Amino acid sequence: MLLVNIDHIPGKTFEALGIVKGNVVMTKNFGKDFMAGMKTLVGGEIESYTEMLNQARQIAVKRMVDEAEAQGADAVVNVRYASASVMQGAAEVIAYGTAVRFTV
């Protein structure tokens, strides 16, 4: 599945099938959340949250691709990501775009 964050694919013509999306809400376990809180005292990257958000993006993209494949898509254009805090220590990540089928 071709994924691009532009609204066209050079050299290809296609028909739009519709918007597809995938989302996930993730949280870290208490132990890692506690250690992340301690990290705020000294500063720096909170690696456990970076890992969590990377994993969340991968899951969201897979779900978006699964939805696109179910529609018979060859690609997803205008791919975007968004995230939001759902509750303390939990975040939603969504990946969305337009599923397209190549035309001859």
Side-chain angles (χ1 to χ4, degrees), residues 79-97:
V79 173
R80 300 288 186 258
Y81 297 97
S83 63
S85 177
V86 176
M87 57 186 268
Q88 186 173 359
E92 176 190 33
V93 173
I94 184 167
Y96 61 97

Side-chain angles (χ1 to χ4, degrees), residues 56-95:
R57 277 190 293 274
Q58 290 174 353
I59 292 168
V61 167
K62 178 169 182 349
R63 290 177 179 174
M64 177 187 67
V65 167
D66 290 347
E67 191 173 309
E69 287 175 343
Q71 292 184 24
D74 297 308
V76 180
V77 299
N78 259 347
V79 173
R80 300 288 186 258
Y81 297 97
S83 63
S85 177
V86 176
M87 57 186 268
Q88 186 173 359
E92 176 190 33
V93 173
I94 184 167

Side-chain angles (χ1 to χ4, degrees), residues 13-18 72-75 98-103:
T13 58
F14 53 78
E15 63 174 313
L17 301 175
D74 297 308
T98 302
V100 300
R101 181 179 302 127
F102 298 142
T103 57

